[in-house]
Amino acid sequence: MNTERRRQLSTAEERRETVLRTAIGAFAARGYFGTTTTEVAKAAGISQAYVYRLFPNKEALFVAVVEHCFVRVRESLEAGAAAAKGSSPEAVLSAMGDAYARLISDNDLMLVQTHAQAAAVSEPAVRDAVRAGYARLVEYVRGASGGDDRQVQEFFAVGMLCHLLVSMDVDTVDAPWTRTLAAGIRHY
């Protein structure tokens, strides 16, 4: 009896997910403008031609990475809302904020978000992806928390400040300005 095992090939969708996960690290390290599809392909262990079979160009790949990151943020916020120790807007927003702070301790995700915001200034497709991602997140946070406009705005403003604190590694600087910015802000 022939018991030869056949190697099961990845489907295009599985390979696409692998490329997206790999591309997060590549784009986090060098940003949209500094990353090539060759680098992404090499990191994913595939040819550049195969990257182009999955994504028509670097812009489409980066937009897919940005969209993937927004999905991860949404999942994190959902988990935070589910873990809230109460149903008041303050309790839900606090739990979502904690979940988000934990999520961005994965610096790659935070860096991709930061690079996406920078690229959005001059790249319309990236701008559209960032706008759409934030639009969905704002509406989710509003609906899940029951917060008013001011509370939702403050939630996102504190999230942006958290990005800044993490990117500057303020925990390593003991100075009045870092204590002022970091006061009451959760970051891991």
Side-chain angles (χ1 to χ4, degrees):
M1 180 173 163
N2 186 350
T3 60
E4 177 182 318
R5 292 184 184 187
R6 292 183 180 202
R7 182 173 162 244
Q8 204 170 17
L9 297 177
S10 297
T11 65
E13 190 56 37
E14 289 168 337
R15 186 60 76 170
R16 189 175 195 280
E17 288 299 314
T18 298
V19 171
L20 281 175
R21 284 191 307 275
T22 302
I24 288 172
F27 284 120
R30 298 174 43 90
Y32 175 68
F33 298 106
T35 303
T36 66
T37 55
T38 302
E39 292 166 334
V40 173
K42 184 177 179 181
I46 60 175
S47 69
Q48 184 180 23
Y50 196 75
V51 169
Y52 284 119
R53 284 182 53 203
L54 299 171
F55 302 94
N57 53 43
K58 182 174 95 168
E59 178 181 83
L61 173 58
F62 187 71
V63 165
V65 165
V66 170
E67 291 168 347
H68 179 79
C69 288
F70 274 110
V71 167
R72 288 187 57 204
V73 170
R74 168 72 182 255
E75 291 168 351
S76 172
L77 296 177
E78 289 171 351
K85 303 274 191 248
S87 60
S88 70
E90 295 80 10
V92 175
L93 289 167
S94 178
M96 287 193 296
D98 188 62
Y100 182 72
R102 290 182 190 284
L103 177 68
I104 66 166
S105 68
D106 164 5
N107 281 344
D108 283 355
L109 184 124
M110 185 200 65
L111 287 168
V112 167
Q113 289 178 304
T114 303
H115 286 304
Q117 291 164 8
V121 172
S122 60
E123 299 297 318
V126 176
R127 182 179 321 125
D128 290 345
V130 171
R131 283 178 177 168
Y134 273 105
R136 288 188 300 271
L137 288 180
V138 168
E139 292 313 313
Y140 173 74
V141 168
R142 182 191 326 276
S145 72
D148 61 28
D149 285 350
R150 183 198 54 75
Q151 289 170 309
V152 173
Q153 180 190 45
E154 185 175 301
F155 176 80
F156 281 91
V158 168
M160 292 296 174
L161 180 55
C162 194
H163 277 208
L164 180 63
L165 297 173
V166 171
S167 69
M168 291 190 303
D169 197 16
V170 297
D171 289 340
T172 63
V173 179
D174 185 23
W177 70 271
T178 61
R179 289 190 297 276
T180 297
L181 289 179
I185 306 293
R186 286 169 294 193
H187 55 284
Y188 301 98

